[in-house]
Amino acid sequence: LYASPGLGLSLLAQADYAPFFYDNGPYSSNGNLALFSLTEDTPVGTEIYALNGTDPEGQEVRYGLSFEPGAKEYFRVEPKSGNITLVEQLDREVTEKVTVFVMDANDERPVFKNLPSFLDVPENSECGSSIYKVLAVDRDTGSGGSITFYLQTNGQSSKFAIDRHSGVLRIKPGEMLDYERSTTHFITVVAKDGGGNYNGKEQVMSSSATLTINVIDTQDTPPSFVGTPYFGYVYEVSVPGSEIFTVFAKDGDLGMPKPIHYSLENGTDGVFSINKTSGVISLLTYPIYLKREIFNMKVKASEVSPEGNLMDYGFTTVVIRVVDLNNHPPTFYGENGPQNMFEMTMYEHPPEGEIIRGLKITVNDSDQGSNAKFNLRLVGPGRMLRVVPQTVLNEAQVTILVEDSAAMDYEKFHFLTFKLLAVEMDTPERFSATADIVIHLLDTNDNAPKFSSVYYIARIPENSPGNSNVVSVTATDPDSGFWGEVKYSIYGSGADLFLIHSASGIIYTQPWASLDAEVKSKYNFYVKAEDAEGKYSLAEVFVTVLDLNDHPPEFNENFLEKTMIIGALVKIEAQDDDAEGPNNVIEYSIMKTDPENIFDINADTGEIKLKSYIKSMDIVQNITKQNDCTWSVVVQAQDRGSPSFSTTTVVKIDITETQLRGPWASFFVQSRDKPLHILGMIAGVISLMVVVTVFISTIMFMRNKKSNRILPHRRIRRRNKPPVTFNGRHWPPPPPNAPALPPLLPGGRPGDRQWVVPTVLGTVAQIKPKRNRNRPVDSVNAALVSELKMRLDQRRLANSS
């Protein structure tokens, strides 16, 4: 039984290994025919088995059978498919040869015959090619002696694969060896048997070994430049022969590097050269003759063979830039050349966004490229102005724009000073330049006059003569010249009595003005401050006319007669025509009484009353020897002004006594001079009684109407009921007794009438025409006075007899 490679195929791999059969076990119908059994009654022509094998290099295999010489050929194999067919009838009894098999146990481990080992493999070996065959033996038989191979990768990817049956190691399809990336590979090969019974248990045994693969470098990588991209610079001070830049390349085949040859291919314009061995690029002319600022040169690096021939090559680009040295700072120019001071004059508050045209400034940097790029900035008070452009390359016309018009105020700044800065942006030196800009501002009428206060409060005495100063107002206009001159005027309903000085702002009274606090004490009007162009502002003036004590207190009458009932008050009243306190606040005092020491007076109200110890007419008669009990009291009314004025009057008071008691007596006494009050009270009482009567009648009517029946006439009989006692008192109470007679007067007789009627004396005083105050005549009071006079005369006649 054998398998052989097919004919007519060329082997491209470096190693060619024999084909091998697959060992699929004793009970398989394909494989290597190991331990195959067949019954003797199998019909002739039956396909009894299929041989199965492969070639490590992947070539086509052919199958065949060989028999011992002279032996009968019972089987035939098909060379391509490996199918075995029975061609002779089998007879088990004819055979006399007996074979006794001793069954093997799996007690041996696979043993490598050519590992560990070192293997050199060229890096240009094709993918899928066989590079090595691992040999291992296992002395066991059957499945315990069959070996399969594996690669132990520990989860890492590998460029190699091994045939599990033949042990042939290959480069994986799609993988290539690369000396430049990895020069050595370490492979761990595992040989594992098919397993078998050992001591009654299934046992699989394996072994491992390491194969070290050294990758051999071959000529497959061109030279490569190191440190790309390349940039070189030619400065304005360079001379012919100056080294501009050096390129460097190395052979890509690191195992056997070869020398490098350098050359310039294009882009040099004939002004650069390169050293063919060192790679140094040099300048051939002066920079002034260079026609371009940037040169893109193509440099070639070629490998040189030992025979001196140029082999593989590579390219790179070298960028050479002609660089200007930064040896010129920015410079400002005026109309006549370099200038660092610019002045102009303009009106204040120009429109925002307007270009200041009085400044003609140019800025320039003579360098080239980034050395000539700089920023412009304007530094000064606030953010009034703005400069454009803010970024300049080489040269630009400087433009100044107004940004904050309100801040450019002549009243705050008569002139403005700014610094114009030019600072390079991308240079290490950061050269800069400065220029001063001075702007003189001219004034305009941009302000209205403004008062020092929004209102003014003034006070003036009422007796002030005409042309008296009242108050001085002040308004200022910050504008200059005639625009700052202020003219004052007043207007309003309260300004009739006043004038104002148009230049000074002094407010004074009209020459004919007469101020009287009692007539009008408050004035208010507006004052206007205006400049030459009509811009103005207003303020309000409040004038208070101060009251002077120019009116003395005055009584309604120079001589007053009053009747005083013991226990009651007599009130006198004076008036002061001054406008306000303390000038119109009156204090009352008793200057003289005849007889004395009997009256008190309330200083604030003018109420006169008897001394507290006088409680009856007996006490009064004990004080005086007069029978009529009449006193003359001199009362003074004095104001609290400065200076203080006072007025006196004589009050004749007739003291009497009445039997009336309680609130009604007090009311009638207090209202004796006010008959309308008494009449009103009586009318109110009568009205209340009428309302109550109507209310009760209405209730009774509604009650009788609701009952809707006629009540029988019944005779009412009164019964004498015993009095009922409540809390120690009898009810109903006994009828009231007649009032007791008053005590006898001193010197009187028991038979005389003891009822004493007080006397009231009343005289009408002359009314002052200035006051024009009239009082109504009390008819009731007059009748009472007449009756009292009559009784008094009768008493005098009785005493005299």
Side-chain angles (χ1 to χ4, degrees), residues 553-801:
E554 293 183 1
F555 290 98
N556 293 339
E557 300 171 353
N558 293 330
F559 182 80
L560 303 176
E561 289 187 358
K562 298 287 183 179
T563 299
M564 177 180 289
I565 298 175
I566 294 177
L569 302 174
V570 171
K571 184 176 181 179
I572 61 175
E573 186 175 4
Q575 292 187 353
D576 193 317
D577 290 338
D578 286 317
E580 58 186 21
N583 297 333
N584 60 1
V585 178
I586 300 175
E587 292 183 350
Y588 298 93
S589 61
I590 296 176
M591 305 299 295
K592 182 179 180 182
T593 61
D594 186 17
E596 298 180 352
N597 197 25
I598 191 171
F599 297 104
D600 287 329
I601 189 170
N602 189 310
D604 296 326
T605 63
E607 294 176 343
I608 302 174
K609 64 180 180 178
L610 292 171
K611 294 286 188 179
S612 60
Y613 65 88
I614 301 175
K615 300 183 181 299
S616 65
M617 287 297 298
D618 295 337
I619 299 175
V620 174
Q621 291 177 355
N622 289 333
I623 294 176
T624 179
K625 297 179 180 181
Q626 301 177 5
N627 294 327
D628 56 358
C629 297
T630 302
W631 270 264
S632 295
V633 181
V634 179
V635 179
Q636 175 183 274
Q638 183 178 10
D639 62 26
R640 295 183 181 179
S642 180
S644 178
F645 294 98
S646 63
T647 302
T648 60
T649 186
V650 177
V651 182
K652 188 175 182 181
I653 301 177
D654 187 5
I655 303 175
T656 185
E657 188 176 30
T658 180
Q659 293 298 324
L660 296 176
R661 295 291 186 270
W664 288 103
S666 178
F667 172 76
F668 282 116
V669 170
Q670 293 180 3
S671 304
R672 63 185 179 276
D673 294 332
K674 301 177 181 179
L676 294 179
H677 286 191
I678 299 175
L679 293 176
M681 176 60 69
I682 295 174
V685 172
I686 294 173
S687 300
L688 180 60
M689 293 176 65
V690 171
V691 170
V692 171
T693 302
V694 172
F695 179 72
I696 295 175
S697 299
T698 303
I699 294 176
M700 295 298 295
F701 173 76
M702 296 301 295
R703 182 178 180 184
N704 293 335
K705 184 177 180 180
K706 184 176 181 182
S707 63
N708 195 19
R709 62 180 178 176
I710 300 175
L711 297 176
H713 176 73
R714 289 185 297 179
R715 187 175 182 179
I716 300 175
R717 299 178 65 181
R718 299 180 180 274
R719 296 181 180 179
N720 293 327
K721 295 182 179 181
V724 182
T725 302
F726 292 97
N727 297 328
R729 297 183 180 181
H730 294 286
W731 185 263
N737 297 324
L741 294 176
L744 293 175
L745 295 175
R749 294 189 298 268
D752 295 340
R753 189 176 180 180
Q754 298 301 318
W755 181 259
V756 179
V757 179
T759 302
V760 178
L761 298 179
T763 59
V764 180
Q766 183 179 0
I767 299 175
K768 297 175 68 176
K770 179 179 179 182
R771 295 299 177 184
N772 194 20
R773 295 189 177 106
N774 296 322
R775 296 182 180 232
V777 179
D778 190 351
S779 58
V780 177
N781 191 31
L784 180 62
V785 171
S786 299
E787 183 180 357
L788 292 175
K789 282 186 176 182
M790 182 182 67
R791 293 180 181 275
L792 184 60
D793 292 340
Q794 291 176 358
R795 179 185 173 190
R796 287 178 179 176
L797 291 175
N799 291 334
S800 60
S801 60

Side-chain angles (χ1 to χ4, degrees), residues 441-520:
L441 296 179
L442 299 177
D443 193 20
T444 60
N445 188 23
D446 59 328
N447 295 283
K450 184 177 181 181
F451 283 97
S452 59
S453 177
V454 295
Y455 61 88
Y456 294 88
I457 298 176
R459 297 176 177 84
I460 183 171
E462 63 179 344
N463 63 351
S464 299
N467 294 323
S468 296
N469 291 342
V470 179
V471 66
S472 177
V473 298
T474 303
T476 57
D477 191 328
D479 294 321
S480 62
F482 71 96
W483 286 323
E485 297 176 1
V486 180
K487 181 180 179 181
Y488 299 96
S489 60
I490 59 174
Y491 67 95
S493 59
D496 298 338
L497 299 181
F498 304 93
L499 297 173
I500 188 170
H501 194 280
S502 62
S504 65
I506 297 176
I507 300 175
Y508 57 96
T509 58
Q510 294 273 12
W512 46 266
S514 176
L515 302 178
D516 190 348
E518 289 75 29
V519 177
K520 186 175 182 180

Side-chain angles (χ1 to χ4, degrees), residues 151-162:
L151 295 183
Q152 184 177 331
T153 60
N154 295 326
Q156 299 179 357
S157 61
S158 174
K159 292 180 178 294
F160 306 94
I162 191 171

